[in-house]
Amino acid sequence: MQSENAFLVLIQNGEQKELYSLRSDSVTMLGRATENTISLLDDRCSRFHAKIFFENGQWYIQDLDSRNGTYLEEQAVLAQQTVPLQAGNHIQLGHTLFQFGCGELGTTHILPENPDTDVMEHRSGIFGVSNTLRGPKQDKTSSTQILHQTAQTAILKSENDSKQGSRITTRTGYGPIELCRLAYHLGKAEEVDQVAKLAIEGLLNATGAEGAGLWLFPYNLNSTQNASDIRLVANATLENLHYNPISETIVRTVFEKKEAFLFHESFKGSKIQDTDKTKNQNEPNNTMAAPIRFQNGILGLLHLYTLGESKYLDESDLEYTLAVADTVGVALAHVNKQKELTANLHQVRKENTTLREMLQMSSEIIGKSSQIQAIHHLISRAAAAKTSLLIRGESGVGKELIARAVHFASPRKSKPLICLNCAAISESLLASELFGHEKGSFTGATDRKIGKFEAANTGTLFLDEIGEMSQSLQAKFLRVLEGSSFERVGGNTVVSVDVRVIAATNRDLEKEVAEGRFRHDLFFRLRVLEIIVPPLRKRVDDIPILAEYFLDRFCKEIGRKYQGFDPNAMRVLMSYRWPGNIRELKNVVERAVVLGTGPYVQEQDLLLSTLNTTGETDMRQDEPKDVFIPLSLEDMERNHIIRTLEHVQWNKSIASKQLGIERTTLDRKIKRYGLERD
């Protein structure tokens, strides 16, 4: 068992900076938010990044679904994963590094006694570059003399004195032309290490420097930077010499002034003597530091130096280095912006995929009957095709769910799925909804509008209640299906699209075609593939499954607890004819959950209608269905018309639609048979 006494050590630049005691009786929260037990000033940390706790004699760390992850000994801790801790483990949250220890504070040494000799592997989270990094070195010089400083290089000036900048060259002959070439290559770089390599190699070639390094702050233009936060990203030297890190004094000077400086560094005992000549020549002599600036902020700095007093850097080198530094600032900002855009795009795509998966999950077709299994087979076959699909079935059987299942099983699943109910829009507006309109094409058309066909380009367009479309619009719709092109209402520009059309109807389209209300050519064009969804009464085996599904769903939504259906209630559900199909079953179960008392849904909780199902005669329930009563066609028509009128409360418009005849024809038959409202 581990000790209940534990602590975290904050490590910066290989040194122990701060100790935090951990309590075994409470959870230690770590993150940027001030509400955390340990609040971190780190832009790469999440507000609530991770937590550490003691349980059953063991210390654990858990990542709280942080954005940039939690690392234990350089191994990523998965989101919400709990991992045991051992004494001496390194924990990294963003740019912040801790080491975990057990026992009383101060009794356990977890770092080497000489931190200066320790080289840590530091993860640069903002750019994704992993290097062996050090912070600025402790000052060993007795004096640092400023030889020259400048806030703006003449090479990049755009005022009248730009001619002066065009004449500035380094001692090796590098000037604006070489800077232009370097800027071109920096603009094409896609990673920070590429930018750093180009900049350092270019400066070593252009100046008399023998060592160069590129140092960066954690990239966040909106947060306050500290000079001690700077980290080395890349370095290079001539003749494979050891790179001399920049001193803290120089970093703070450049950071505070935001200007480029040329220094002369003199060291203790720096007189060059024959017996120690090699050692002193390996110490920097002239040192140059230029800020990498962008939008009034400092991203980092470029560091150059020479070795020994026989070599030096001058003002022209400083001018050129500052010009390179300003160019690097733009390149780094560009690289970072590209990475942010890529990350955002990845996040958006991930969210879209999640939403589509959620949508697909909510559109699952529930049932185990042979009819449903056959529909699943038809969906898988129809999804692979690009041709038009017609879905037919009574109202409420789930035709839209079938259409969604076909779309999400097709190669177009990542493309738009646009749905439109043709019966919900008036004939005058349906053309505008389908094909769009130009500005001023009719009263109220104040702007150009993109229609559903354009919105569904490369995807799927689902048209529900296709039988309600007028014949004039059917002709234009047919032309689009044949040629995949159309013109917006009031326009003359041809718009071409790649859209798969899925249509649905609860009408008998063959009858509609026979009676001249639906174009026969459009019918055959839509009916390339066809799925007929059976009504709920013809797949009784699915009724208990659907009822239990809706019961569980509404119990969760409303907060009620039901254990299921009473046997009598289930028998009623199984024997009912369900004229409203699945939609009616859903509403019946929802009402029972809301108004019932539980713990089981009782028979009296079910509110069922007395409506006839589509296509059924209105024979009384108490009449034997096997008794044949001979009637003339005239008497049968008279009885059917009077019952239809009574069913719709003598609304002749609705009755004529249900009877499939014109309103004037209905009036003539009412007069002929002498029908009167009771």
Side-chain angles (χ1 to χ4, degrees), residues 111-286:
L111 286 177
E113 295 183 1
N114 185 7
D116 290 338
T117 63
D118 180 50
V119 179
M120 295 188 304
E121 286 293 322
H122 181 83
R123 189 182 306 275
S124 178
I126 188 65
F127 296 118
V129 180
S130 181
N131 288 309
T132 302
L133 306 179
R134 293 174 182 258
K137 67 180 179 181
Q138 299 292 325
D139 292 335
K140 298 178 182 179
T141 60
S142 59
S143 65
T144 302
Q145 178 185 0
I146 298 176
L147 300 179
H148 189 70
Q149 68 184 87
T150 180
Q152 185 177 5
T153 174
I155 299 178
L156 297 180
K157 285 185 178 179
S158 59
E159 292 85 358
N160 294 331
D161 56 351
S162 59
K163 293 182 179 180
Q164 176 187 353
S166 65
R167 294 193 298 268
I168 295 178
T169 60
T170 64
R171 288 173 295 133
T172 57
Y174 277 62
I177 296 178
E178 288 74 20
L179 178 63
C180 180
R181 292 197 189 100
L182 178 61
Y184 171 74
H185 292 292
L186 289 173
K188 296 194 300 180
E190 298 180 353
E191 298 291 341
V192 172
D193 55 348
Q194 297 176 8
V195 173
K197 181 179 179 181
L198 288 170
I200 290 174
E201 290 180 351
L203 287 172
L204 288 178
N205 293 330
T207 66
E210 297 174 278
L214 190 146
W215 298 70
L216 291 180
F217 293 104
Y219 189 92
N220 191 338
L221 296 175
N222 298 321
S223 66
T224 302
Q225 303 282 18
N226 295 314
S228 59
D229 294 333
I230 200 165
R231 294 292 184 270
L232 178 63
V233 173
N235 65 85
T237 60
L238 299 181
E239 300 177 358
N240 295 322
L241 296 174
H242 176 71
Y243 173 72
N244 285 278
I246 195 169
S247 69
E248 289 184 359
T249 301
I250 294 178
V251 172
R252 296 188 183 280
T253 302
V254 176
F255 180 79
E256 294 172 0
K257 298 294 185 180
K258 295 183 181 180
E259 297 182 8
F261 287 85
L262 176 61
F263 300 94
H264 176 75
E265 293 186 277
S266 58
F267 295 85
K268 297 179 180 179
S270 62
K271 291 183 179 181
I272 301 178
Q273 300 179 8
D274 294 338
T275 58
D276 201 18
K277 185 175 182 179
T278 303
K279 176 182 178 181
N280 287 292
Q281 284 184 336
N282 286 337
E283 294 288 0
N285 177 37
N286 276 10

Side-chain angles (χ1 to χ4, degrees), residues 333-345:
H334 171 73
V335 169
N336 188 72
K337 177 58 73 174
Q338 286 296 110
K339 288 189 174 293
E340 288 179 356
L341 292 174
T342 302
N344 291 338
L345 180 61

Side-chain angles (χ1 to χ4, degrees), residues 84-97:
L85 290 171
Q86 302 298 330
N89 281 163
H90 289 84
I91 303 169
Q92 186 157 342
L93 317 175
H95 289 306
T96 306
L97 182 66

Side-chain angles (χ1 to χ4, degrees), residues 46-117:
S46 300
R47 286 180 50 79
F48 298 96
H49 197 107
K51 67 178 181 180
I52 297 176
F53 58 93
F54 186 77
E55 185 175 272
N56 298 328
Q58 174 68 50
W59 285 95
Y60 295 93
I61 185 169
Q62 181 180 5
D63 180 79
L64 300 179
D65 201 13
S66 62
R67 181 172 182 178
N68 294 308
T70 300
Y71 292 86
L72 181 64
E73 297 297 339
E74 299 188 352
Q75 296 295 320
V77 179
L78 299 180
Q80 299 297 332
Q81 181 185 11
T82 300
V83 179
L85 290 171
Q86 302 298 330
N89 281 163
H90 289 84
I91 303 169
Q92 186 157 342
L93 317 175
H95 289 306
T96 306
L97 182 66
F98 290 103
Q99 195 159 9
F100 173 78
C102 284
E104 297 294 336
L105 291 177
T107 62
T108 303
H109 296 285
I110 59 176
L111 286 177
E113 295 183 1
N114 185 7
D116 290 338
T117 63

Side-chain angles (χ1 to χ4, degrees), residues 307-364:
L307 299 173
E309 297 181 354
S310 61
K311 299 179 181 179
Y312 63 93
L313 300 170
D314 60 15
E315 296 180 11
S316 63
D317 296 325
L318 185 64
E319 290 277 350
Y320 187 83
T321 301
L322 182 56
V324 171
D326 287 340
T327 307
V328 168
V330 176
L332 289 177
H334 171 73
V335 169
N336 188 72
K337 177 58 73 174
Q338 286 296 110
K339 288 189 174 293
E340 288 179 356
L341 292 174
T342 302
N344 291 338
L345 180 61
H346 176 74
Q347 181 67 19
V348 169
R349 286 176 175 171
K350 183 178 179 181
E351 291 174 356
N352 285 343
T353 302
T354 302
L355 291 175
R356 291 182 187 279
E357 290 175 352
M358 292 173 62
L359 183 61
Q360 187 174 5
M361 290 174 59
S362 65
S363 300
E364 286 182 349

